[in-house]
């Protein structure tokens, strides 16, 4: 982790699947390029790790692959099962086992929620056939640093910044490539780029983003103080994240393609 705040247990984040689709559909729509990187072939079996409401899993299925969705959140699993019309596995990405190996593991915007990455990478390797692909996008180093800084500063004004719990793992490309290589993958490609993303369906701007994704940053704030803290987050974020009447999240994304090498004795 690149931030010094206390790490949160993954179970602390509760997902609102309907709100996720309504306000944050950009998470999957901006990741169609990751599906292009995966380049699913008809008949291949692909596991979507942290599939959320299943929009990208549906896109992969539309390209002819057989997709198994998996997610650790029951509401997301139910939403994805409705969208895909198939069973979706409720499982923790840190430790999951499949009945048989898959041709590829795909993941978008989910790996950074899994804060013990070595366990995840080992589970993915175990799930793949030799030569199988691991293709993903996650938040990279300094992802949403402007948002986190505004939350920290707003909390500090009330002496509450010590209670922030960081739920994310945002690695640098070098760090993640080393992790993959140490756990049986050949890293074929990495990309790391800034992607300022308009929060077009968030009328309360960065405050809406924090309420959806950053609940562990603010769940210790007394309820009567929370609206003022979130207003202050917007004020502090505005100079860098509000332009021409539009709010932006300062995303930095890490994409990679890695290939599972034969297990050596
Ligand atoms: C931002 S959403 C992304 C969903 C989907 N991949 C997309 O592109 O829309 C992150 C997802 O990761 C899932 N997730 C978080 N921690 C997880 C874990 N330990 N194991 C499996 N899924 C996890 C969440 O439940 C959530 O559905």
């Amino acid at each position: 982790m690149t931030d010094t705040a206390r790490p949160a247990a993954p179970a602390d984040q509760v997902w609102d699947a309907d709100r996720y689709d309504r306000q944050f559909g950009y998470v999957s729509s901006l990741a169609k390029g990751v599906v292009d990187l995966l380049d699913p072939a008809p008949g291949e079996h692909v596991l979507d790790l942290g599939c959320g409401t299943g929009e990208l899993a549906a896109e992969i299925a539309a390209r002819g692959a057989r997709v198994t969705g998996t997610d650790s959140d029951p509401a997301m699993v139910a939403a994805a099962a409705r969208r895909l019309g198939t069973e979706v596995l409720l499982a923790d990405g840190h430790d999951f086992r499949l009945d048989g190996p898959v041709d590829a593991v795909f993941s978008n915007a989910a790996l950074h929620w899994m804060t013990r990455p070595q366990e995840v990478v080992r589970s993915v390797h175990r799930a793949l056939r030799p030569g199988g692909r691991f293709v993903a996008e996650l938040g990279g180093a300094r992802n949403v640093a402007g948002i986190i800084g505004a939350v920290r500063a707003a909390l500090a004004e009330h002496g509450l910044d010590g209670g922030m719990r960081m739920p994310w793992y945002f690695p640098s490309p070098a760090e993640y490539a080393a992790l993959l290589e140490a756990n049986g993958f050949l890293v074929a490609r990495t990309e790391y780029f800034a992607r300022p993303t308009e929060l077009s369906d968030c009328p309360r701007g960065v405050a809406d983003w924090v309420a959806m994704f950053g609940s562990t940053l603010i769940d210790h704030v007394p309820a009567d103080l929370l609206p003022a803290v979130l207003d202050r987050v917007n004020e502090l974020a505005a100079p860098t994240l509000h332009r021409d009447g539009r709010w932006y999240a300062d995303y930095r994304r890490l994409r990679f393609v890695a290939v599972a090498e034969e297990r050596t004795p």
Side-chain angles (χ1 to χ4, degrees), residues 15 22 73 77 87 231:
W15 293 91
R22 227 175 27 249
D73 183 87
V77 166
E87 190 194 355
D231 284 348

Side-chain angles (χ1 to χ4, degrees), residues 2 26-27 30 34 108-112 136-148 168-173 176 191-198 209 240-241 248-256:
T2 53
Y26 67 78
V27 173
L30 288 176
V34 196
N108 178 56
L111 294 175
H112 55 253
E137 177 176 309
L138 68 157
R142 292 194 56 72
N143 190 47
V144 295
I147 295 179
I148 294 169
W168 306 295
Y169 162 71
F170 294 142
S172 70
Y176 210 79
E191 296 172 19
Y192 175 54
F193 53 95
R195 191 185 63 206
T197 301
E198 188 184 347
W209 189 97
T240 46
L241 298 177
Y248 293 85
D250 54 334
Y251 283 119
R252 288 191 182 200
R253 309 312 273 178
L254 172 56
R255 287 182 180 180
F256 64 85

Side-chain angles (χ1 to χ4, degrees), residues 10 15 20 27-28 31 48-56 70-73 76 91-94 107-110 112-114 213:
W15 293 91
Y20 180 77
V27 173
S28 40
D48 183 346
L49 178 58
C51 64
T53 59
E55 192 178 332
L56 291 170
T70 181
D71 200 284
S72 60
D73 183 87
M76 291 301 209
D92 183 346
H94 293 95
S107 185
N108 178 56
H112 55 253
W113 292 97
M114 304 176 203
F213 295 115

Side-chain angles (χ1 to χ4, degrees), residues 208-219:
D208 277 343
W209 189 97
V210 172
M212 178 72 203
F213 295 115
S215 53
T216 66
L217 307 180
I218 53 168
D219 59 7

Side-chain angles (χ1 to χ4, degrees), residues 62-158:
R63 298 193 193 190
R66 178 158 73 92
V67 186
T68 300
T70 181
D71 200 284
S72 60
D73 183 87
M76 291 301 209
V77 166
R82 275 195 302 277
R83 174 171 267 143
L84 298 170
T86 59
E87 190 194 355
V88 171
L89 308 175
L90 179 67
D92 183 346
H94 293 95
D95 184 17
F96 64 93
R97 284 167 197 272
L98 305 176
D99 289 341
V102 293
D103 298 300
V105 173
F106 170 88
S107 185
N108 178 56
L111 294 175
H112 55 253
W113 292 97
M114 304 176 203
T115 51
R116 301 189 306 284
Q118 176 156 302
E119 293 173 32
V120 175
V121 169
R122 286 183 175 168
S123 292
V124 170
H125 194 278
R126 190 171 54 220
L128 283 167
R129 66 165 172 80
R133 308 169 332 273
F134 183 20
V135 180
E137 177 176 309
L138 68 157
R142 292 194 56 72
N143 190 47
V144 295
I147 295 179
I148 294 169
V151 174
R152 179 176 286 115
L155 291 173
E157 292 176 0
H158 300 275

